[in-house]
Amino acid sequence: MGIRTKLVLGVAFVHLLLMTIFVFDLVQRQREFLLAELSNRTLHHAQVLAVASSAWVLADDLVGMEEVLESGVRGGGVQYAMIVDPQGRVLAHTKREITGRFLIDRESRNALSGRQEPHVYFETEKSLYAAAPILVAGRLIGWSMLAVDKSATSEHLSYVTRTGLAYTMVAIGIGTLFALLLSRSILRQLRFLLRGVDNLHSNILDRPVQVVAEDEVGRVASAFNRALASLRSSLELLNREVIERKRAEEALRRLSRRQVGAIEEERKRIARDLHDELGQALSGMQFCLKSMQGEAERSNSSLEAPCQKLSSEVERMGVSIHRIANNLRPATLDHLGLLPAIEALIAEQLPAMGGKLSVKTDASGFRRRLPPDTEMIAYRIVQEGLNNVIKHSGASHVHLQLTVNHPNLIIAIHDDGMGIDGHRDGTVEGTFEHGIGLIGMQERAAAVGGKVDVKSRRRGGTTLRAELPYAEI
Ligand SMILES: Nc1ncnc2c1ncn2[C@@H]1O[C@H](COP(=O)(O)OP(=O)(O)OP(=O)(O)O)[C@@H](O)[C@H]1O
Ligand SMILES: [Mg+2]
């Protein structure tokens, strides 16, 4: 139920209650007053009849008594009047046929035997009955008795009741109107306030509530506006801080990306130098040693054996340099792409495990080459992830999943090894005391806006999951 309905019903009810009590009380008092006045009037009337008829009663003059009664019943709502002797015989009556009869009803008999003074001896819904003694020198010679109609009193009372009810209706109407006006002024401010709350809910903070009242609700609206203003300024401050922080993060990411790029460039340069310069020099040495060995063989010199040893040493050095250069920057990654480079990496690393570790690789979504940065970071993550499995896990099986799902490349490496020592089950967070492999992975991923999570369960294996966002090329 709304405030307006409550207020209107409440005011109407209070008015109805108060006016009903008031009208009831008024009618009661009015009834008492009118009855008292009627009985006074009737007694006076009876007494006047008694005095006026006393001489005719003494003289036993029926005509005189009837004349007195005739003049007595005119006006005043008298229904009938009579003169009776002390024994209850009707000496004269306004209805002549009753003259000479005896009063036998209980009330009239009681009135005649009662106190010798004017009194009301009986009362019904419609009539009031009074009697006054006819006294001559203190001796009772008869009674004047009359009945008066009460209907005028009842009519007056019902008129008062009707008027009271009309006033009650008017009071309820005025009260309702007042309640409507009052609720309108309260609700107007409340409506503005509710609109303000709705705006706040929809994140509209630049529309203060219109303050149209100076009462408590108006003060609440002003307080709401003040809270809104401070919320707005705090949000602006927060937004500025967020923007600054984002800028700083972006700058950091750019720096980190440049660093990662610079490191890769440097590795590439060293790999190239190793391959081009040392490799060339070793090839030259190899050539010289081969011709020296041929010369020694022909001249049957004792230098043949050392030359052969040196030559195979140099050949081994060449293979090592090739491997180191390839490790620094795998040529397959640049020329053939991520998947072939990873296959080559696995093929190269597995023999070192003596066949104890099996690797299953699943790749999906690779339709074209990914950006070089992404490929290089992905390669390094897989390289370090596999290294860790080999070094720390004691696993017998590794599952490597590579999924391209634009805009992310997702790498998952799951092993069935012993789990990361010293960590509780679940996601592994924080720094790692013993190495920089995982930290390096996280930094590389962060440089392109990605992330690396490691989940580990004691004796339940480790899962490394990297998400690298990339831009389509
Ligand atoms: N797959 C794994 N299974 C079990 N433990 C692991 C695994 N991967 C990492 N760890 C644990 O996490 C630690 C941190 O790994 P991280 O690669 O950062 O360092 P590291 O391999 O010890 O050294 P670095 O990588 O610098 O040569 C490891 O020392 C190892 O205890
Ligand atoms: Mg490591």
Side-chain angles (χ1 to χ4, degrees):
M1 199 191 284
I3 290 180
R4 184 196 299 261
T5 322
K6 278 186 195 162
L7 203 64
V8 167
L9 286 182
V11 169
F13 177 73
V14 168
H15 276 75
L16 180 68
L17 191 72
L18 291 181
M19 286 304 288
T20 308
I21 293 171
F22 173 71
V23 171
F24 184 76
D25 186 60
L26 182 76
V27 169
Q28 280 307 108
R29 282 167 196 272
Q30 194 75 5
R31 171 176 287 126
E32 280 165 21
F33 170 76
L34 287 175
L35 282 180
E37 209 234 7
L38 183 68
S39 72
N40 280 344
R41 231 180 327 119
T42 310
L43 289 176
H44 178 70
H45 211 136
Q47 201 163 10
V48 168
L49 275 183
V51 171
S53 61
S54 58
W56 306 111
V57 174
L58 260 186
D60 196 18
D61 185 336
L62 178 62
V63 178
M65 282 187 271
E66 280 181 346
E67 262 176 28
V68 170
L69 290 179
E70 283 288 304
S71 62
V73 294
R74 267 184 231 123
V78 178
Q79 290 170 323
Y80 67 83
M82 59 182 163
I83 293 165
V84 295
D85 67 11
Q87 286 73 42
R89 190 166 63 90
V90 179
L91 300 176
H93 199 291
T94 43
K95 291 177 191 156
R96 287 206 173 113
E97 62 274 19
I98 296 175
T99 306
R101 292 194 194 167
F102 270 91
L103 298 180
I104 50 168
D105 59 294
R106 191 157 48 91
E107 288 79 18
S108 305
R109 303 295 319 171
N110 285 345
L112 298 181
S113 59
R115 55 194 196 278
Q116 291 178 9
E117 57 186 42
H119 63 277
V120 172
Y121 66 89
F122 188 49
E123 191 175 345
T124 63
E125 190 75 358
K126 290 184 178 151
S127 311
L128 193 74
Y129 301 86
I134 304 170
L135 298 167
V136 174
R139 189 169 65 89
L140 181 71
I141 58 166
W143 288 88
S144 73
M145 298 174 95
L146 52 83
V148 182
D149 189 7
K150 275 168 69 181
S151 62
T153 308
S154 307
E155 266 168 33
H156 186 76
L157 283 178
S158 72
Y159 170 74
V160 171
T161 310
R162 278 199 307 278
T163 315
L165 283 178
Y167 277 121
T168 305
M169 290 301 139
V170 171
I172 290 174
I174 292 173
T176 307
L177 195 71
F178 180 73
L180 279 175
L181 290 175
L182 196 70
S183 67
R184 206 170 140 232
S185 86
I186 296 173
L187 288 179
R188 191 161 170 244
Q189 183 64 78
L190 271 180
R191 263 201 298 276
F192 283 130
L193 203 55
L194 276 179
R195 209 174 298 156
V197 173
D198 282 347
N199 284 342
L200 184 64
H201 206 247
S202 331
N203 272 337
I204 302 171
L205 304 179
D206 55 352
R207 267 185 236 159
V209 172
Q210 202 178 328
V211 181
V212 290
E214 284 175 7
D215 53 15
E216 286 83 347
V217 190
R219 285 212 289 282
V220 171
S222 306
F224 179 86
N225 281 344
R226 284 197 296 280
L228 198 68
S230 83
L231 184 68
R232 199 170 49 231
S233 64
S234 309
L235 266 183
E236 278 166 7
L237 197 71
L238 199 68
N239 275 346
R240 272 202 297 278
E241 272 175 18
V242 168
I243 289 170
E244 269 166 31
R245 181 170 285 227
K246 274 191 179 155
R247 269 197 210 125
E249 274 174 6
E250 187 50 40
L252 208 64
R253 203 175 297 140
R254 271 203 303 272
L255 188 71
S256 177
R257 198 178 203 148
R258 232 176 282 147
Q259 260 177 355
V260 170
I263 290 169
E264 282 303 318
E265 273 308 307
E266 189 62 10
R267 296 177 94 158
K268 206 172 178 177
R269 195 186 58 75
I270 294 169
R272 203 173 43 232
D273 286 356
L274 277 175
H275 180 267
D276 293 356
E277 293 185 18
L278 265 181
Q280 291 291 329
L282 284 176
S283 298
M285 271 173 79
Q286 180 82 344
F287 183 76
C288 287
L289 283 170
K290 283 275 180 213
S291 40
M292 274 173 71
Q293 190 188 344
E295 209 48 48
E297 201 179 321
R298 271 193 299 278
S299 59
N300 213 1
S301 160
S302 60
L303 285 172
E304 190 200 339
C307 279
Q308 194 182 356
K309 202 173 169 223
L310 258 177
S311 168
S312 54
E313 271 306 305
V314 168
E315 198 179 327
R316 240 174 5 94
M317 272 174 76
V319 173
S320 289
I321 282 171
H322 186 79
R323 192 170 38 80
I324 292 168
N326 199 55
N327 245 344
L328 282 168
R329 180 72 189 195
T332 337
L333 184 62
D334 287 335
H335 299 133
L336 299 177
L338 184 61
L339 291 180
I342 287 174
E343 272 160 27
L345 177 75
I346 293 168
E348 191 188 313
Q349 286 193 341
L350 274 192
M353 292 298 293
K356 282 188 219 140
L357 183 69
S358 74
V359 182
K360 182 179 174 229
T361 310
D362 285 328
S364 64
F366 283 84
R367 279 182 204 92
R368 60 178 83 132
R369 294 274 311 254
L370 298 170
D373 272 10
T374 315
E375 284 194 339
M376 189 271 296
I377 291 170
Y379 180 84
R380 292 292 180 216
I381 287 173
V382 172
Q383 188 178 35
E384 175 57 23
L386 288 178
N387 253 336
N388 279 351
V389 173
I390 293 166
K391 258 165 67 183
H392 309 294
S393 73
S396 55
H397 185 76
V398 187
H399 187 191
L400 171 64
Q401 283 172 295
L402 295 150
T403 313
V404 175
N405 187 6
H406 187 72
N408 288 311
L409 164 63
I410 296 152
I411 303 167
I413 306 172
H414 175 71
D415 68 57
D416 59 355
M418 65 180 67
I420 295 183
D421 196 28
H423 285 282
R424 283 191 310 262
D425 293 355
T427 307
V428 177
E429 283 172 354
T431 53
F432 297 90
E433 286 161 21
H434 305 298
I436 54 163
L438 287 176
I439 296 165
M441 280 191 221
Q442 277 158 347
E443 281 175 2
R444 280 171 198 275
V448 288
K451 59 178 182 175
V452 175
D453 292 325
V454 182
K455 280 194 176 122
S456 179
R457 277 196 300 144
R458 209 183 295 275
R459 284 182 289 283
T462 303
T463 301
L464 181 142
R465 190 174 185 281
E467 227 176 79
L468 304 175
Y470 68 92
E472 205 86 71
I473 48 169

